[in-house]
Amino acid sequence: MSTTETFEFNKDNLATYKEYLTRYDDVESALLPVLHLAQEQNGWLPDHVVSYISLLMSIPEIKIKEVISFYDMFYDVPVGRNIVQVCTNISCSMFGGREIYQGLLKHFDTGYLTPTRDGRISLQKMECLGACELAPCMRVNDDFVGNLDLTSAIQKLEELP
Ligand code: FES
């Protein structure tokens, strides 16, 4: 699908990009932090952002798309302002993680990664978040929230900007 949208790093991020390149022996090794940077600026990673990075780094678009689809932390669809990852793996599901995830989808009337109507939240079902001691838990942007039940999870998310 062709698109007329364009993207380029803003001045600060272009400087950050150049600084990233000094940390690695080859350009390709900087791809993950560069994708984080682009996603931070654009919110998600659509085709025109991938094209820009491909030209900038001389990496084929297909390779960049493979990386984006491999990692849960990169989004090739539009997402809400806040990313909420709910763990449904074994430790968390023993304490109701799956029910919490389903309950949140229902409460916010949304689906996997689909932004809520107000654009505030995208919910993402996850495998182990590496915080089993907090089971059942979720990650809200960069913060872990644990020992949840559906009521406390909803309350936490209703406070988000
Ligand atoms: S199983 Fe949920 S954080 Fe590990």
Side-chain angles (χ1 to χ4, degrees):
M1 193 174 86
S2 70
T3 173
T4 54
E5 289 182 89
T6 59
F7 173 88
E8 57 183 29
F9 278 137
N10 60 34
K11 198 168 156 248
D12 286 351
N13 284 346
L14 195 56
T16 304
Y17 164 73
K18 288 176 182 164
E19 194 273 320
Y20 283 164
L21 293 187
T22 66
R23 298 186 195 178
Y24 301 93
D25 290 337
D26 59 272
V27 174
E28 207 165 306
S29 298
L31 183 57
L32 290 185
V34 171
L35 286 175
H36 276 294
L37 196 63
Q39 186 165 268
E40 203 179 287
Q41 182 177 319
N42 194 66
W44 62 295
L45 298 169
D47 286 352
H48 61 281
V49 175
V50 173
S51 299
Y52 171 76
I53 293 170
S54 171
L55 279 173
L56 188 69
M57 302 181 78
S58 300
I59 299 174
E61 289 189 21
I62 187 69
K63 262 193 152 176
I64 298 173
K65 288 183 176 183
E66 280 170 6
V67 170
I68 292 170
S69 65
F70 181 79
Y71 289 102
D72 288 329
M73 62 208 177
F74 296 127
Y75 305 110
D76 60 2
V77 293
V79 288
R81 291 192 296 281
N82 300 283
I83 296 288
V84 177
Q85 298 178 322
V86 183
C87 181
T88 58
N89 210 321
I90 187 72
S91 301
C92 288
S93 50
M94 280 171 59
F95 294 97
R98 287 180 195 180
E99 290 75 15
I100 291 170
Y101 175 68
Q102 291 301 330
L104 289 174
L105 288 181
K106 193 168 174 207
H107 177 82
F108 289 101
D109 189 23
T110 189
Y112 179 83
L113 277 187
T114 308
T116 49
R117 261 190 285 278
D118 58 8
R120 276 192 316 131
I121 295 168
S122 277
L123 290 161
Q124 189 174 18
K125 176 181 166 179
M126 296 292 286
E127 297 306 318
C128 184
L129 292 171
C132 308
E133 71 281 7
L134 299 176
C137 71
M138 63 183 179
R139 182 160 55 205
V140 181
N141 301 313
D142 293 329
D143 298 326
F144 286 91
V145 188
N147 303 311
L148 292 169
D149 57 29
L150 181 57
T151 304
S152 62
I154 289 172
Q155 195 176 2
K156 178 74 186 170
L157 301 193
E158 290 291 8
E159 291 167 1
L160 291 172

